[in-house]
Amino acid sequence: MEKTVLWLRLCPAEVRFADVQVGTIYSTEIKVQNIGRSNKKIRFLGPEDPQFKLDMNTKEIAIATGLHVTATVTYQPVKEENSFDKINILVGKRKIVIPLIGLIPSCHLEIESSVNFGTIIANSKAICKSISVINCGTIPGSFDIDYKGNLPITINPTSGIVDPKSSKNIKIFICTDKPRIVNELAKVSLQGGEDTFLKIEACVVQQIIELLDICGERSLKCIRFGTIFFGTSKIEQAILYNNSPEHTSWVAVMEHEAVGEELGTNLQQGIDGTLRDLSYINKMRNIDVTTFIACIPNEGTLLPYQKTVITFCFSPKLYDNGKKHADLSHRQDYALFLRFEAIESKDTFLKAEEEKATESHHFSKVELALTGSGLPVLLNFVPGKVLNFTPCCMGERSEIVCSIQNHSKILPVAFSFHKVAHFKIIPEKGKIDEESTQNVLFSFVPHQLGIFKVKQLMDILGFVAEDDLQSVKVKPFHQIQLSFTSICKPTTKRIEMKIIPGLTPLITNSTGQYVVDEAGEYKNFAPVAMLKSNLTSIHNHHLSEPLGDDVLVAFPNDRCASLRSGDPRVEIRTIFTKVPRYNYVDPEFAYTKEEEIQIQENKDHYNNFTLKLAKRRMQRKSARAFKLSDNEIDIGMKRGGGLKSPRLSVTQIFKEMAEPIKLPLKESSLLSTQNLAAKEAESLQGNVINVVNHIPSIPQAKEDCSVILTPKQLYQVVIGPSVLDFGDICVNYICTKQMHVINNLPLHILVRLEIDHEELKNTNPLSYVIPPASNTCIPIAFEKTTLGPFWKSFSFTINNIPSGNILVKAVVMPMALELSTNELVLRLTRGFLVKTGYRGTVRLYNRRNCAARFKWQPLILDNGIAFSIRPAEGTVEGYSALDCEVSWQPSYSSPERGQFNLQVYDGNTVRLDCAVKIGPAKVVLLTHHVLFENCPQGLTTWKKTVLQNVGLHHAYFKICDKELLPFVKITPSHGIIPVGGLTPLDIACTPYFSERFDTRAKEL
């Protein structure tokens, strides 16, 4: 690095000797070049520190333009510390400074100032980010990271040593247990540098699922289908929105027995009507609501911030309430609740019905209210549904006017009559408004003779859902049957024969009988000549060959007044002689052979088309029947295979008949909490797997475990709880908790645990095959060798599909015991002996999972200690307690306070303060004056007195002998007097001189 000052170029601008060793000589050169237009005179001034030396003449030096001078600087450190000095270059009256720096070997640690997790989802998952501590120095350097916040943030490792010219990876874990804005600081201490702070930032948001209206503008809370007829359908749409930065799999679940739910109740009727229909209301509570409420689609996966359209179809059905005729009281009102929920690890469905959802799971589901009402079709026919028409003849008609009344106050009725022979209806189609009447003209127009009894069908039209349940079409949804009865009478006329010789009547029948001659009504006709065949010999023919079975016989007038040629493929012979009839072919009107072939091909094509449609219709019918019968009970075994059915008793037969038939769940049908809870109860009561296979072994299990499950199927597999909280546990101790798996599906599933944490390495095995409709428990083992909180998660897959994660929480602490109280006061316990009456109990609590060994250590003061604890040492098992008895040895000189230290091996130390509370005592002396008469010198004379306790507490006494003569002794000098007790005192006098004496002693 160089610099230019006063037209002088200095190289280098700073002299730095790095990583120097004591006693080693280092040198470098300084070049000063004149880049100006005139000569420069400079002078070097050497450094003041003797460790730096300048090998250059200190006299003034002239430098011509473009030339330079070189100076050598040497550095020889004499101690392990950094050195700093400078070289001054004088240019005239101005000074140029070149710093001199000598640095001993050191570490240079660098760390990133912040780590940003961005926007993440609060799904109880531990997310990790890595940063590096880089050592750019020449010797190893240590670092220490200290985080003292309350958030679930874990840093690993928190300290360490970084080798020179290398880096160390630091992992920072944040647990997304609930939404929050994270802006935390962790103190970082780097060797050889100043303390700094590591900033940890994150924005934890909820996995939010929202329901919007079809325009996508407002949040949708309720869909009101309104009132429709039973058998019709109504479609509504909404938008499901994943308002979160991660994709989510969702499923729609119909809630059962939710607060505010109404199933088929007539909310408009009074209390009396409701009380009469209690049995019907209880019956309606057990119906499957998914039969008349559809949601398409009801499962799927949404990408981040993706929207999808949801279609809801409401198709109410009429359920019998025990009444014979439908009326307005058949109204059925529905208020249902549909929940859209994200698929994640969860507790059981049974607990979900009892417990409220936590706040963290509140936004991962959205509830939608669905309301609607169903009404029956109420039509009244006047004069009735059975109509008797007046008999009439052909060509005449009989009419009846019928008035159809619509009793519905809300909905109009659209109708359409079927066409029936001999009857006409005007109008055939129509619409009757609410509480209106429509007059319909029924006409009997016979076309043949006879008695007619006809069932006339009247279709009620409405919007009916298509098979995909996403669109509606106007179709008949209800039929009303009317009965028509009438008679067509024949007309009787006398027929007179009027024969014109050579001519026949215009019309005859096949039997040769004549009918009414109405030829006068027609003007254009072609008479045909009639020949008397009995006078001719044209019938005298003999057949040369037998007749075929398909030969037709011609009537004399079957082609009357027609020139049309007959069908050449039909053989017709005369009625008498049986000779082939002449067939006249007019080439102008007859079909050619090509035209006949084309006509036949058209007929064959139409025949094949109708047969194909019929065959396809039968195949669909067979497929629907197979789907209904394709279940676990019917396994397709053929009869007569040697197996005999077991004989059922009468009770078993009635039980079989009483149980409803459970059809397989359709793919498009909704899940309901009632069905899910029933399946789970069946799985819990049924098959409990204790020995689980780790890989699929049988062919059926291999096939099932390779199936790609849909979100609806994944939702029916319960794996939980979502949080495994080990609580406060001891370091270096293995603790186990159970994770339950409930398979409510009718197939095997393969559950794999993806665990890569060192603390959970004792969990083994990691894969389980769960049979259909069964449950098991997976043990999760945890062991940590360092102190501190633990917040990490592991994920699991079902049939190799990522399906959720489990959060593991623990606080690793050293072994510790807690006292029930830190200060224990002992009081007298009645019924015990005098010396054992003062006692108390202190309880030791072990709130950790490991057994703790302890020892009581008394703190002995100057006046001693009169307290004792039993047991003095022992062991307290994990999650249990132990009572220790503290007793006090009573005496006048016993201290009333004492202290003990509870020492836990490899754990904490707790101090216990003990005190005793003694009640007031009252003692009297029965003899206050003792007289020694004529006591011999040198010999001992004994006298006696008595102390009596007249108080309510034990008395502790001591004889004060400060004022007592030395040859007078009182025994005992101290003691205990129980309540109401007596204690004798022996007084011994051994005088060693001869004189009178008077002394006294005090009892304390």
Side-chain angles (χ1 to χ4, degrees), residues 868-915:
S868 62
I869 299 181
R870 293 293 180 271
E873 60 182 16
T875 302
V876 183
E877 299 295 332
Y879 302 115
S880 62
L882 178 67
D883 289 335
C884 294
E885 185 181 53
V886 181
S887 59
W888 180 67
Q889 184 67 31
S891 70
Y892 183 84
S893 59
S894 296
E896 297 182 2
R897 304 192 68 86
Q899 292 181 340
F900 292 88
N901 279 341
L902 175 65
Q903 297 178 351
V904 181
Y905 292 93
D906 299 328
N908 63 332
T909 300
V910 186
R911 176 165 294 185
L912 174 65
D913 295 328
C914 300

Side-chain angles (χ1 to χ4, degrees), residues 20 50 57 76 155 199 308 390 510 606 648 782 844 868 932:
V20 297
N57 189 1
Q76 185 178 8
I155 302 175
K199 191 174 184 179
T308 185
T390 304
S510 59
Y606 181 75
L648 300 178
F782 176 81
L844 309 182
S868 62
F932 289 93

Side-chain angles (χ1 to χ4, degrees), residues 151-206:
L151 298 184
I153 297 176
T154 305
I155 302 175
N156 187 27
T158 56
S159 60
I161 297 177
V162 185
D163 295 331
K165 306 300 180 182
S166 64
S167 63
K168 194 174 187 65
N169 196 27
I170 306 297
K171 291 184 178 181
I172 302 174
F173 295 89
I174 181 171
C175 179
T176 58
D177 57 339
K178 60 181 180 180
R180 55 165 65 95
I181 300 297
V182 179
N183 193 0
E184 295 292 305
L185 295 177
K187 185 179 180 181
V188 180
S189 300
L190 302 177
Q191 181 180 351
E194 296 181 355
D195 292 347
T196 183
F197 290 93
L198 174 64
K199 191 174 184 179
I200 303 173
E201 298 175 317
C203 179
V204 186
V205 298
Q206 285 285 1

Side-chain angles (χ1 to χ4, degrees), residues 928-989:
H928 293 274
H929 186 267
V930 178
L931 180 63
F932 289 93
E933 296 178 354
N934 302 322
C935 182
Q937 184 179 356
L939 298 179
T940 301
T941 304
W942 291 91
K943 293 289 184 178
K944 180 180 291 187
T945 186
V946 177
L947 292 176
Q948 183 178 6
N949 186 0
V950 296
L952 300 177
H953 300 85
H954 299 310
Y956 308 95
F957 71 92
K958 179 182 178 182
I959 303 299
C960 183
D961 55 357
K962 291 182 179 181
E963 299 179 1
L964 194 65
L965 294 176
F967 54 84
V968 178
K969 303 293 183 182
I970 302 176
T971 57
S973 61
H974 60 83
I976 303 174
I977 308 173
V979 177
L982 301 174
T983 298
L985 297 178
D986 294 328
I987 304 173
C989 181

Side-chain angles (χ1 to χ4, degrees), residues 256-257 339 348-355 673-674 677:
H256 177 66
E257 293 185 352
R339 186 175 71 239
T348 64
F349 295 113
L350 298 176
K351 289 184 179 179
E353 292 297 315
E354 300 172 0
E355 300 177 358
T673 55
Q674 180 184 16

Side-chain angles (χ1 to χ4, degrees), residues 552 573 586 605 620:
L552 303 178
R573 293 178 179 267
D586 189 351
H605 178 75
R620 289 199 298 265

